[in-house]
mmCIF file of all heavy atoms in Angstrom:
data_model
loop_
_atom_site.group_PDB
_atom_site.id
_atom_site.type_symbol
_atom_site.label_atom_id
_atom_site.label_comp_id
_atom_site.label_asym_id
_atom_site.label_seq_id
_atom_site.Cartn_x
_atom_site.Cartn_y
_atom_site.Cartn_z
ATOM 1 N N SER A 1370 -9.759 25.691 -9.720
ATOM 2 C CA SER A 1370 -9.112 26.197 -8.522
ATOM 3 C C SER A 1370 -7.837 26.708 -9.004
ATOM 4 O O SER A 1370 -7.142 26.146 -9.816
ATOM 5 C CB SER A 1370 -8.777 25.096 -7.560
ATOM 6 O OG SER A 1370 -9.917 24.279 -7.205
ATOM 7 N N LEU A 1371 -7.346 27.843 -8.389
ATOM 8 C CA LEU A 1371 -6.058 28.308 -8.790
ATOM 9 C C LEU A 1371 -5.009 27.866 -7.717
ATOM 10 O O LEU A 1371 -5.350 27.391 -6.612
ATOM 11 C CB LEU A 1371 -6.074 29.907 -8.765
ATOM 12 C CG LEU A 1371 -7.038 30.406 -9.877
ATOM 13 C CD1 LEU A 1371 -7.172 31.928 -9.785
ATOM 14 C CD2 LEU A 1371 -6.558 30.037 -11.282
ATOM 15 N N ALA A 1372 -3.727 27.949 -8.084
ATOM 16 C CA ALA A 1372 -2.725 27.422 -7.227
ATOM 17 C C ALA A 1372 -2.672 28.041 -5.858
ATOM 18 O O ALA A 1372 -2.119 27.313 -4.920
ATOM 19 C CB ALA A 1372 -1.391 27.539 -7.944
ATOM 20 N N SER A 1373 -3.221 29.232 -5.625
ATOM 21 C CA SER A 1373 -3.265 29.826 -4.354
ATOM 22 C C SER A 1373 -4.298 29.279 -3.375
ATOM 23 O O SER A 1373 -4.367 29.712 -2.245
ATOM 24 C CB SER A 1373 -3.393 31.389 -4.468
ATOM 25 O OG SER A 1373 -4.378 31.668 -5.405
ATOM 26 N N SER A 1374 -5.066 28.282 -3.929
ATOM 27 C CA SER A 1374 -6.121 27.677 -3.078
ATOM 28 C C SER A 1374 -5.529 26.844 -1.966
ATOM 29 O O SER A 1374 -4.319 26.449 -1.988
ATOM 30 C CB SER A 1374 -6.939 26.727 -3.962
ATOM 31 O OG SER A 1374 -7.864 27.441 -4.660
ATOM 32 N N VAL A 1375 -6.312 26.617 -0.972
ATOM 33 C CA VAL A 1375 -5.893 25.861 0.321
ATOM 34 C C VAL A 1375 -4.462 26.169 0.723
ATOM 35 O O VAL A 1375 -3.587 25.355 0.939
ATOM 36 C CB VAL A 1375 -5.949 24.237 0.039
ATOM 37 C CG1 VAL A 1375 -7.438 23.854 -0.123
ATOM 38 C CG2 VAL A 1375 -5.195 23.720 -1.030
ATOM 39 N N PRO A 1376 -4.241 27.538 1.045
ATOM 40 C CA PRO A 1376 -3.023 28.004 1.545
ATOM 41 C C PRO A 1376 -2.626 27.378 2.874
ATOM 42 O O PRO A 1376 -1.487 27.272 3.192
ATOM 43 C CB PRO A 1376 -3.196 29.579 1.533
ATOM 44 C CG PRO A 1376 -4.653 29.714 1.854
ATOM 45 C CD PRO A 1376 -5.310 28.597 0.978
ATOM 46 N N GLN A 1377 -3.714 26.976 3.652
ATOM 47 C CA GLN A 1377 -3.377 26.377 4.899
ATOM 48 C C GLN A 1377 -2.565 25.016 4.751
ATOM 49 O O GLN A 1377 -1.635 24.792 5.448
ATOM 50 C CB GLN A 1377 -4.639 26.154 5.702
ATOM 51 C CG GLN A 1377 -5.433 27.342 6.127
ATOM 52 C CD GLN A 1377 -6.364 27.969 4.939
ATOM 53 O OE1 GLN A 1377 -6.405 27.392 3.828
ATOM 54 N NE2 GLN A 1377 -7.077 29.029 5.214
ATOM 55 N N PHE A 1378 -3.097 24.236 3.787
ATOM 56 C CA PHE A 1378 -2.326 23.011 3.448
ATOM 57 C C PHE A 1378 -0.951 23.310 2.940
ATOM 58 O O PHE A 1378 0.077 22.632 3.233
ATOM 59 C CB PHE A 1378 -3.158 22.214 2.450
ATOM 60 C CG PHE A 1378 -4.123 21.264 3.188
ATOM 61 C CD1 PHE A 1378 -5.436 21.832 3.405
ATOM 62 C CD2 PHE A 1378 -3.912 19.977 3.534
ATOM 63 C CE1 PHE A 1378 -6.439 21.097 4.022
ATOM 64 C CE2 PHE A 1378 -4.804 19.145 4.238
ATOM 65 C CZ PHE A 1378 -6.168 19.759 4.406
ATOM 66 N N ALA A 1379 -0.913 24.262 2.004
ATOM 67 C CA ALA A 1379 0.382 24.653 1.311
ATOM 68 C C ALA A 1379 1.397 25.084 2.475
ATOM 69 O O ALA A 1379 2.626 24.687 2.395
ATOM 70 C CB ALA A 1379 0.190 25.717 0.402
ATOM 71 N N GLU A 1380 0.925 25.822 3.458
ATOM 72 C CA GLU A 1380 1.875 26.284 4.479
ATOM 73 C C GLU A 1380 2.402 25.127 5.337
ATOM 74 O O GLU A 1380 3.518 25.075 5.628
ATOM 75 C CB GLU A 1380 1.254 27.352 5.318
ATOM 76 C CG GLU A 1380 2.141 28.032 6.280
ATOM 77 C CD GLU A 1380 1.426 28.953 7.318
ATOM 78 O OE1 GLU A 1380 0.656 29.720 6.809
ATOM 79 O OE2 GLU A 1380 1.869 28.991 8.411
ATOM 80 N N LEU A 1381 1.478 24.229 5.730
ATOM 81 C CA LEU A 1381 1.830 22.962 6.354
ATOM 82 C C LEU A 1381 2.882 22.123 5.571
ATOM 83 O O LEU A 1381 3.856 21.651 6.133
ATOM 84 C CB LEU A 1381 0.613 22.156 6.755
ATOM 85 C CG LEU A 1381 -0.227 22.780 7.877
ATOM 86 C CD1 LEU A 1381 -1.397 21.785 8.084
ATOM 87 C CD2 LEU A 1381 0.515 22.966 9.162
#
Side-chain angles (χ1 to χ4, degrees):
S1370 308
L1371 297 173
S1373 46
S1374 283
V1375 295
Q1377 296 83 0
F1378 276 85
E1380 192 183 315
L1381 289 177

